Amino acid sequence: MADMSDKAKKVLGGDGARDTSNASSMPKHTLNRKLHTAFWTHMLNGLTSHYSGQESNRMSLLYFVLGALDLLDALPSDERKAEIIDWIYAQQILPDESGEFTSYCGWRGSPFLGHPHTTGGSGAVEHDHCHIAMAYTALANLCVLGDDFGRVNREAVLTALRELQCPDGSFRPNTFPCESDMRFVFCATAISAFLDDWSGMNAKKADEYILRSRTYEKVFGQGPGQEGHGGSTYCAVAALSLLGKLGDLKEKEDSVRWLLERQTLGFQGRPNKDPDTCYSWWVGGSLTMLDGFDMVDVDLCRSFTYQCETKMGGFGKYPGSPPDVLHSYYGLCGLSLMKKDGLPSIYVPLGISMRAAAS
């Protein structure tokens, strides 16, 4: 490991808290684009059977696949893109004629309820409702594919979004009584940013909820009083960034210190956990937004990510784990942040490439 910078020493204290005793013995790696492109192309053409239980989340699975192909400069042909765009719009839930189900509008994750395929979407009916994460990933997918949002029913999406915000400022994922936390606050801010319209949420209340969820370590839990975590910290910091409030956040150096301390080889999501490939994105992305990524031991983190690479392409959660689309995509995102594999830059607050975000 290279000598730690003065900035890193100041934030971490002394010579830093990381155990880097194995760093010198770690092999060098290069990204096998052909292998990974083949893995992701296979995933696009048909997910393996163990994803069948995730049928209702297929929109989010598509987000991982398209995002990875975008980073690898291997998106499908224009004809195939048009087919996928039509499928995405077919999952859009539109207002019904009676106006009874306005809170249901947005996106479902797949046609698992048996709706006929219509490229403009279908009207809301009882038990068929949006999920806020599917709306976020649907819009992200459309951006990656270069769509102009011409078929998005913006008014319906934003009306439903308003009805998903809770009195405390948080968001729930759908209209039924269920959990509400930082994940869905992030989704709401991302949807608003994609549509460039903030009328679907009370931004002040959302901001207040985020700040109430900050822990004594100066990172963020899923809600007030909950444990600080790398994933919820990413959601909170990204939401603040999209809201234009990140510059107002106090004691950022303490946040950066906690996040840097999550690096052992790769990053862990919270203290006393094993490192996991996806946290090179959740923690690395948080550090990027907080201007602290330059203190990451990139060689160590990158070596851990490649230990999780599989012979068939993709990345597992841990070394020796089979690949899955979530960890494989976020593994690539982490490598993009490290800037050593020729991958394009990511617009961190939205979780898509800079190219897609600018389209």
Side-chain angles (χ1 to χ4, degrees):
M1 177 182 173
D3 290 341
M4 184 173 287
S5 69
D6 291 341
K7 179 180 177 183
K9 288 179 180 178
K10 178 182 177 183
V11 172
L12 287 170
D15 291 327
R18 304 187 192 110
D19 177 7
T20 61
S21 56
N22 295 321
S24 61
S25 63
M26 291 187 176
K28 304 297 182 184
H29 297 278
T30 57
L31 181 67
N32 187 333
R33 287 175 174 269
K34 183 177 180 180
L35 178 69
H36 286 275
T37 297
F39 170 83
W40 286 110
T41 300
H42 178 73
M43 293 294 105
L44 180 64
N45 291 333
L47 293 170
T48 54
S49 60
H50 70 273
Y51 289 101
S52 59
Q54 293 292 318
E55 168 62 24
S56 64
N57 297 321
R58 207 194 312 174
M59 189 69 71
S60 290
L61 301 179
L62 180 63
Y63 161 77
F64 300 134
V65 175
L66 291 177
L69 288 171
D70 186 22
L71 291 179
L72 293 166
D73 193 24
L75 285 170
S77 66
D78 288 345
E79 181 180 0
R80 186 71 190 281
K81 285 180 184 178
E83 293 173 353
I84 298 170
I85 289 170
D86 282 346
W87 182 86
I88 294 169
Y89 277 116
Q91 312 320 315
Q92 186 175 199
I93 303 173
L94 302 171
D96 67 308
E97 294 182 0
S98 71
E100 181 180 356
F101 299 112
T102 56
S103 63
Y104 286 29
C105 295
W107 266 271
R108 63 178 77 87
S110 77
F112 64 95
L113 286 178
H115 288 287
H117 181 82
T118 55
T119 58
S122 55
V125 295
E126 192 172 6
H127 306 305
D128 180 29
H129 53 84
C130 71
H131 191 288
I132 198 170
M134 302 307 133
Y136 157 59
T137 51
L139 293 171
N141 289 336
L142 291 172
C143 269
V144 169
L145 294 169
D147 184 70
D148 64 0
F149 290 177
R151 284 180 272 172
V152 175
N153 189 322
R154 295 167 179 263
E155 182 179 353
V157 171
L158 294 168
T159 297
L161 193 61
R162 279 194 293 273
E163 297 192 37
L164 296 180
Q165 190 164 21
C166 302
D168 66 356
S170 67
F171 282 80
R172 62 186 192 274
N174 54 49
T175 58
F176 300 106
C178 59
E179 58 194 347
S180 62
D181 58 49
M182 198 65 69
R183 296 170 297 172
F184 310 127
V185 174
F186 163 70
C187 289
T189 58
I191 291 165
S192 301
F194 276 128
L195 298 180
D196 193 22
D197 189 331
W198 295 87
S199 65
M201 63 184 297
N202 184 323
K204 183 175 184 295
K205 291 183 72 172
D207 178 42
E208 291 170 350
Y209 176 84
I210 295 169
L211 296 180
R212 287 200 307 276
S213 302
R214 204 172 188 197
T215 70
Y216 70 92
E217 307 111 322
K218 304 306 176 186
V219 289
F220 296 89
Q222 291 287 11
Q226 297 191 35
E227 179 184 14
H229 190 277
S232 50
T233 295
Y234 167 84
C235 290
V237 173
L240 289 173
S241 178
L242 294 171
L243 287 164
K245 295 291 187 179
L246 189 55
D248 299 336
L249 188 65
K250 308 298 184 184
E251 300 174 291
K252 290 180 187 176
E253 189 172 278
D254 291 333
S255 308
V256 168
R257 178 191 176 94
W258 186 93
L259 291 163
L260 289 171
E261 288 174 346
R262 302 285 66 74
Q263 184 174 14
T264 53
L265 298 175
F267 283 101
Q268 58 188 188
R270 50 193 168 128
N272 301 314
K273 294 291 185 178
D274 291 330
D276 173 336
T277 49
C278 70
Y279 289 106
S280 65
W281 168 247
W282 301 122
V283 176
S286 299
L287 284 166
T288 299
M289 291 183 284
L290 293 169
D291 299 321
F293 194 83
D294 59 324
M295 291 181 281
V296 171
D297 188 328
V298 167
D299 291 336
L300 203 63
C301 187
R302 186 169 171 271
S303 183
F304 173 78
T305 298
Y306 278 110
Q307 288 180 51
C308 300
E309 185 181 39
T310 77
K311 293 181 180 179
M312 67 190 76
F315 299 96
K317 179 182 177 77
Y318 306 123
S321 298
D324 64 82
V325 294
L326 184 151
H327 289 89
S328 295
Y329 176 57
Y330 288 137
L332 284 177
C333 290
L335 291 176
S336 171
L337 296 177
M338 297 177 219
K339 300 185 184 303
K340 288 199 172 187
D341 291 276
L343 293 168
S345 297
I346 291 183
Y347 182 57
V348 176
L350 287 178
I352 56 176
S353 71
M354 291 291 290
R355 180 207 60 79
S359 64

